[in-house]
Amino acid sequence: MRVSDFDFDLPNDRIALRPVSPRDSARLLVVRPAQGMEDRIVRDLPDLLQPGDALVFNDTRVIPARLAGERHRDDLAPIRVEATLHHRDSTAVWSAFMKPGKRIRPGDRIRFGASGDDACLLGRLDATVLTKGEDGLITLKFELGGPALDDAIRDIGVMPLPPYIAAQRPEDDQDRADYQTVFAEHDGSVAAPTAGLHFTPGLLETLKARGVTTHAVTLHVGAGTFLPVKADDTDDHRMHSEWGEVSAATAEALNAVKARGGRIVCVGTTSLRLLESAADEDGVIQPFHGDTAIFITPGYRFRAVDVLMTNFHLPRSTLFMLVSAFAGLQTMKAAYGHAVADGYRFYSYGDGSLLFRSAP
């Protein structure tokens, strides 16, 4: 399909720069293909689901993955650089997107935490550029590894706010709390699974009382989620892989829900992509441990997921393509048109939508 098919107009003032408080007071646009739309709030979610449904959330934790430093090369003067970590390749190696990328080459030494006058700073972190890929990814080998590297990243990194927020205000201490879900458990993401930001302990208790079970999967979201689609045709776009895991116990529990007639309700596109990667041709969810680069566009046959809760996404993005595959392109264009006209807040800190899957 043409990428231009997924374009729409979005005024800049619809981009949310802060979340609402409390989290579950955000608006929720309910979209039922062929039936219509309904304006609700996230706190209404228990009334919109049924006893026996299974809510699947992503328990990844966002790390402060944006690192500033200096590039050092032979006798050249150092230059300021910035890295956004993307994917952990081994205990001491990360792939990352770096700026200015054109001035980085294999063999360069990167001194993160270095000041402009090259003074020694507590928590300084050194790395060497191993490779530079055609897709813009830089491979960095750090001098530290394992938990020591994790601690150093926490010391010198900042929360990697999405570029459409970071362009309008700097990251601050409040983001360390706001940009983390109540489910967050396993370090590794460089972007939040943002649909999960709407949940509170009170909402989870109400869902439990309703008879809705909750289940965790892990997908470490990479920085590629923020990259624009530069191709003109969706067939020419390459997704960057992300690491995920569905445990054997979770797969067994979700398959039992389906067998009893319950629905799989994914909190966020990350948990949906992971479950669809783990499901076989018959829709049976298998244990999964590894990378996925699944790219879902209209025409995809969903195997496992029945309902999707998600925020409002960028025009021409892979995530808008995904929701269009799930609920129908024309349905989603109408839904987004309604959301823009009615003042819904977009993107990571914005409002949510509850999408019911369209008929095949």
Side-chain angles (χ1 to χ4, degrees), residues 5-344:
D5 292 339
F6 302 93
D7 203 2
F8 58 89
D9 293 326
L10 182 69
N12 192 61
D13 62 4
R14 294 293 186 269
I15 300 174
L17 300 184
R18 298 282 184 184
V20 298
S21 182
R23 294 182 176 210
D24 59 4
S25 65
R27 299 179 70 186
L28 184 70
L29 180 61
V30 182
V31 179
R32 296 182 175 89
Q35 296 184 42
M37 293 175 279
E38 184 181 6
D39 297 303
R40 302 290 288 265
I41 62 172
V42 171
R43 203 174 298 127
D44 295 335
L45 184 61
D47 297 330
L48 299 165
L49 302 181
Q50 300 170 357
D53 286 344
L55 201 69
V56 183
F57 55 82
N58 184 0
D59 65 3
T60 188
R61 177 182 291 276
V62 184
I63 63 173
R66 186 164 292 141
L67 310 176
E70 292 178 346
R71 184 215 70 188
H72 293 258
R73 182 192 301 164
D74 301 329
D75 296 328
L76 297 178
I79 62 169
R80 298 295 294 170
V81 296
E82 181 182 271
T84 299
L85 302 179
H86 168 69
H87 184 283
R88 189 169 202 155
D89 301 335
S90 69
T91 58
V93 176
W94 277 84
S95 57
F97 294 99
M98 293 191 67
K99 298 187 298 185
K102 291 182 178 180
R103 303 185 69 180
I104 302 295
R105 72 184 189 193
D108 285 348
R109 301 180 307 280
I110 310 297
R111 181 159 292 169
F112 295 109
S115 66
D117 60 2
D118 203 27
C120 179
L121 296 181
L122 182 66
R124 193 179 75 189
L125 180 60
D126 290 349
T128 300
V129 176
L130 296 182
T131 64
K132 180 179 181 179
E134 294 181 358
D135 57 1
L137 277 178
I138 307 292
T139 306
L140 294 170
K141 185 179 189 305
F142 290 91
E143 292 191 358
L144 299 176
L149 176 57
D150 298 340
D151 290 342
I153 290 172
R154 277 191 288 270
D155 286 342
I156 68 173
V158 299
M159 195 62 79
L161 285 182
Y164 40 78
I165 295 177
Q168 300 192 54
R169 68 165 181 83
E171 175 266 351
D172 56 32
D173 289 342
Q174 186 62 40
D175 290 306
R176 293 224 171 195
D178 288 344
Y179 202 55
Q180 206 75 266
T181 73
V182 295
F183 318 120
E185 184 174 350
H186 302 292
D187 284 355
S189 272
V190 301
T194 54
L197 297 178
H198 298 298
F199 284 79
T200 64
L203 177 57
L204 292 173
E205 284 298 318
T206 306
L207 286 161
K208 181 179 179 181
R210 172 70 168 158
V212 176
T213 58
T214 55
H215 309 264
V217 298
T218 305
L219 183 81
H220 291 326
V221 190
T225 190
F226 299 135
L227 293 180
V229 178
K230 296 181 179 179
D232 293 326
D233 193 287
T234 57
D235 288 342
D236 298 325
H237 178 68
R238 176 183 175 273
M239 293 284 283
H240 291 93
S241 64
E242 297 164 316
W243 184 91
E245 181 174 36
V246 180
S247 70
T250 296
E252 181 180 4
L254 295 178
N255 289 328
V257 167
K258 296 283 280 188
R260 293 192 298 265
R263 297 175 299 186
I264 304 297
V265 183
C266 276
V267 177
T269 58
T270 59
S271 56
L272 179 146
R273 292 178 64 245
L274 183 54
L275 287 189
E276 290 295 319
S277 299
D280 64 21
E281 289 289 341
D282 296 322
V284 178
I285 299 170
Q286 305 291 337
F288 184 95
H289 181 97
D291 283 356
T292 177
I294 188 172
F295 182 25
I296 296 175
T297 59
Y300 175 84
R301 182 179 68 83
F302 287 87
R303 302 172 178 179
V305 181
D306 303 294
V307 184
L308 171 63
M309 181 178 173
T310 185
N311 283 18
F312 292 95
H313 305 294
L314 284 164
R316 302 170 68 100
S317 65
T318 61
L319 297 182
F320 185 63
M321 294 172 193
L322 184 153
V323 298
S324 297
F326 192 79
L329 177 56
Q330 295 309 315
T331 295
M332 291 314 302
K333 283 192 169 183
Y336 273 48
H338 170 81
V340 170
D342 206 43
Y344 276 75

